[in-house]
Amino acid sequence: MNFKEELELNHVFKVVSSAAAKSGQESYVIGGYVRDLILERPSNDIDFVCVRNGIDLATAVARQLGKDIKPVVFKNFGTAMIDYEDMELEFVGARKESYSRDSRKPIVEDGTLEDDQNRRDFTINAMAISLNQHDYGELIDPFDGMKDLKRKMIRTPLAPEITFSDDPLRMLRAIRFATQLSFDIDADTFSGITDNIDRIDIVSRERITDELNKIILSPIPSYGFKLLFQCGLLKRIFPEMVDLHGVEIIGKKAHKDNFYHTLKVLDNVATVSYDLWLRWAAILHDIAKPATKRFNEKAGWTFHGHEDKGARMVPGIFRKLKLPLNDKMRFVQKLVRLHLRPIALVKEEVTDTAIRRLLFEAGDDVEALMKLCKADITSKDHRRVQRYLNNFARVEEKMVEVEGKDKLRNFQPVIDGEYIMKTFEIPPSRVVGEIKKAVREAILEGEIANTFEEAFPFMVAVGEKLGLVCKKDKV
Ligand code: ATP
Ligand code: MG
């Protein structure tokens, strides 16, 4: 099969080809770019492999591409990278790898194109296209990756035990590619994963989480999680999620399987948002259900307080998974903590006060929270789903109304601590906090408006009740 025409579309290939020819080297495009070219997925990362020296080739290519273009050289790895237009061009000499038991870093020596293809993770990632003059554009596909692309199959080029034991990160990559591309994993390849899950221990937490995030950002993330669960990897890398699995029955009362429920919520969120952190909030929204599960004759299964406990579990999970401990984490925590609030709201009469409180607590994340709550409706009863969605629509209307009046999502009370201290001439103390809280509560309850005219006399009255004396003239 020849890809000459496809290569015409990007002048970089001709440049690499002629630079390699001048220095008497063979050169090829290889890996993900070739796979994505055939799948017609646009890709800006292009990997080139040449037989001898990748750094020399990159230097020659950069010179031809323009005088201010310089490769970034990684001498230790024998690779070089060129940033060109919107592309990342990566150059490496063909290599042969051998692995030791306790590390996924191989011993590397120079090799042939064939050696280099043998060390690749999957047949669909091992295809190369020649840039050599005599067979320019020809596909070199020793493991029939083309067939696997057509039948949508992830398969290792060598025996799966070798491929996965050499570099156990590949187990996660297999599941990640299957999820991103909606491919199956070949049965032997999948057993190879199941047999090697212990080996995941030599992979750094950062790399594991990196793959996990790519699975989460795929179109149907539940697919990847089901594969991770099936092969046993999920238990090793994220046991809290596996704890959600299973149904307990007492008498005739069963609770739902929270693992599959969580996956459904995650898929639902994925259809309305690409945001990684909203997706994490979906994954973690019920994470404390196992820890809060109780049975009671009358009520059946309950999970009281799972939203608060879940929110408290978030930092520990983020720390372990090496996810960032910053405002992203706080966003996830907030959504987990508040995820029952909108639904609780629609079960009763929707009051302004309840809406004000929710807007105040959710702030700018209220839209994300509503997305999560809608995704959380996984009932199979269509009429029920419709009723909930209608109720949510009512809540949202009301939010717009209340927000228009009171501007609560970025709530700043008109009277702050500083002002309270000046008014009563008191130093910073607990009392200041109490007065501030009383003013805030009165505004949220709708007793006073969030204006100076109404808040000032209210504050003075609160202070006086606490035995303070106002030292300022009323405005
Ligand atoms: P994407 O960039 O979308 O993640 P990709 O296939 O380009 O997909 P990269 O991680 O960029 O993946 O790697 C480029 C190529 O290098 C792969 O296609 C594969 O041939 C090879 N490769 C990368 N990581 C490994 C690995 N751990 N084991 C074996 N081969 C690998
Ligand atoms: Mg890539």
Side-chain angles (χ1 to χ4, degrees):
M1 192 172 276
N2 194 292
F3 288 90
K4 209 183 246 165
E5 266 173 41
E6 285 80 355
L7 297 186
E8 291 296 327
L9 298 174
N10 187 340
H11 71 282
V12 164
F13 296 116
K14 272 268 143 56
V15 172
V16 175
S17 175
S18 84
K22 265 187 208 147
S23 61
Q25 295 209 64
E26 293 168 32
S27 66
Y28 305 86
V29 199
I30 194 160
Y33 185 85
V34 176
R35 176 197 71 220
D36 290 342
L37 181 74
I38 300 169
L39 289 174
E40 297 179 11
R41 293 169 92 224
S43 158
N44 292 327
D45 296 352
I46 313 180
D47 292 318
F48 297 95
V49 65
C50 60
V51 180
R52 279 296 86 91
N53 192 315
I55 296 174
D56 288 353
L57 179 59
T59 311
V61 168
R63 210 178 298 126
Q64 282 200 37
L65 286 176
K67 64 176 183 319
D68 43 335
I69 294 186
K70 297 267 174 309
V72 182
V73 173
F74 306 94
K75 265 229 165 73
N76 294 345
F77 298 100
T79 64
M81 214 261 297
I82 301 176
D83 256 317
Y84 178 64
E85 294 177 349
D86 54 353
M87 292 175 274
E88 263 190 20
L89 314 174
E90 177 119 22
F91 296 82
V92 60
R95 55 177 59 173
K96 194 173 169 165
E97 294 182 341
S98 42
Y99 288 81
S100 67
R101 202 53 209 159
D102 54 350
S103 161
R104 53 176 295 271
K105 297 212 174 58
I107 300 159
V108 173
E109 49 190 311
D110 288 346
T112 61
L113 173 69
E114 194 187 334
D115 292 327
D116 200 279
Q117 286 177 301
N118 281 335
R119 71 169 182 91
R120 304 262 159 184
D121 48 5
F122 307 110
T123 59
I124 60 166
N125 286 348
M127 296 183 280
I129 294 175
S130 167
L131 299 178
N132 303 318
Q133 252 117 60
H134 68 278
D135 59 352
Y136 189 82
E138 209 46 52
L139 182 72
I140 303 156
D141 182 15
F143 310 108
D144 213 352
M146 197 63 173
K147 186 168 124 206
D148 287 334
L149 271 187
K150 289 213 175 101
R151 54 180 200 144
K152 294 173 158 275
M153 196 63 83
I154 304 293
R155 190 166 59 89
T156 56
L158 308 179
E161 301 79 66
I162 299 172
T163 299
F164 292 130
S165 177
D166 276 355
D167 176 3
L169 180 68
R170 293 168 182 162
M171 302 191 283
L172 284 171
R173 285 174 60 91
I175 293 174
R176 187 256 287 190
F177 283 118
T179 314
Q180 283 180 326
L181 303 172
S182 305
F183 275 32
D184 278 330
I185 299 178
D186 163 82
D188 287 342
T189 298
F190 197 72
S191 327
I193 298 177
T194 310
D195 293 344
N196 278 288
I197 56 170
D198 291 356
R199 302 274 299 143
I200 199 70
D201 295 348
I202 64 164
V203 180
S204 77
R205 200 62 244 195
E206 287 81 354
R207 287 203 185 269
I208 294 175
T209 296
D210 199 37
E211 293 299 328
L212 197 57
N213 282 341
K214 287 181 183 173
I215 292 171
I216 293 169
L217 284 174
S218 299
I220 305 178
S222 66
Y223 178 50
F225 277 101
K226 285 175 191 165
L227 291 171
L228 287 172
F229 176 72
Q230 253 178 16
C231 68
L233 272 175
L234 194 60
K235 178 95 190 153
R236 301 215 143 230
I237 65 177
F238 189 9
E240 293 85 351
M241 197 165 172
V242 175
D243 292 343
L244 291 168
H245 184 266
V247 174
E248 214 175 316
I249 306 172
I250 295 185
K252 283 203 165 118
K253 288 182 175 153
H255 62 75
K256 66 181 162 204
D257 186 310
N258 289 304
F259 179 67
Y260 294 108
H261 164 71
T262 294
L263 292 184
K264 184 83 189 97
V265 178
L266 174 59
D267 284 350
N268 286 347
V269 158
T271 62
V272 293
S273 166
Y274 189 70
D275 183 67
L276 177 64
W277 307 107
L278 180 54
R279 292 182 185 203
W280 266 108
I283 293 168
L284 295 175
H285 81 286
D286 278 347
I287 202 71
K289 274 198 169 172
T292 56
K293 184 164 95 170
R294 302 280 179 277
F295 184 80
N296 147 333
E297 281 300 335
K298 253 221 227 102
W301 294 101
T302 65
F303 305 91
H304 287 309
H306 75 272
E307 68 283 21
D308 284 323
K309 177 141 181 93
R312 286 197 301 274
M313 284 169 73
V314 169
I317 291 173
F318 266 52
R319 194 170 302 120
K320 227 174 57 183
L321 295 179
K322 292 259 174 15
L323 287 164
L325 304 172
N326 57 14
D327 55 320
K328 305 296 182 204
M329 180 193 80
R330 285 187 289 278
F331 166 82
V332 172
Q333 229 179 343
K334 185 199 270 185
L335 262 60
V336 173
R337 186 164 49 79
L338 297 178
H339 82 269
L340 294 178
R341 291 282 290 279
I343 195 99
L345 240 168
V346 298
K347 280 186 179 154
E348 304 140 27
E349 190 49 35
V350 189
T351 64
D352 280 14
T353 305
I355 297 266
R356 265 197 294 272
R357 288 199 168 273
L358 187 58
L359 279 169
F360 169 63
E361 285 184 56
D364 274 337
D365 300 320
V366 72
E367 278 88 8
L369 177 65
M370 292 308 284
K371 280 184 187 157
L372 175 61
C373 291
K374 286 181 202 165
D376 198 9
I377 308 172
T378 59
S379 164
K380 288 200 179 78
D381 177 346
H382 283 297
R383 293 229 304 276
R384 189 141 150 210
V385 170
Q386 204 44 56
R387 197 171 68 236
Y388 277 140
L389 289 177
N390 290 344
N391 288 346
F392 276 140
R394 250 184 36 239
V395 169
E396 280 173 329
E397 264 169 41
K398 200 97 185 202
M399 277 177 171
V400 173
E401 201 183 295
V402 171
E403 176 65 15
K405 276 198 309 225
D406 296 352
K407 306 273 175 291
L408 280 157
R409 70 165 58 200
N410 292 311
F411 182 71
Q412 289 295 340
V414 281
I415 287 180
D416 60 7
E418 195 75 17
Y419 199 87
I420 295 169
M421 291 190 278
K422 274 194 198 138
T423 306
F424 298 109
E425 288 179 0
I426 50 172
S429 57
R430 198 171 48 84
V431 163
V432 178
E434 267 176 48
I435 299 175
K436 221 166 73 178
K437 188 167 166 218
V439 173
R440 189 188 72 207
E441 287 296 304
I443 295 170
L444 289 175
E445 286 297 323
E447 289 161 19
I448 57 172
N450 190 18
T451 61
F452 189 80
E453 287 69 32
E454 294 197 21
F456 183 79
F458 181 86
M459 169 196 70
V460 171
V462 174
E464 283 172 351
K465 244 188 246 162
L466 293 168
L468 300 173
V469 181
C470 173
K471 303 285 170 85
K472 267 199 176 159
D473 291 337
K474 294 199 172 90
V475 178

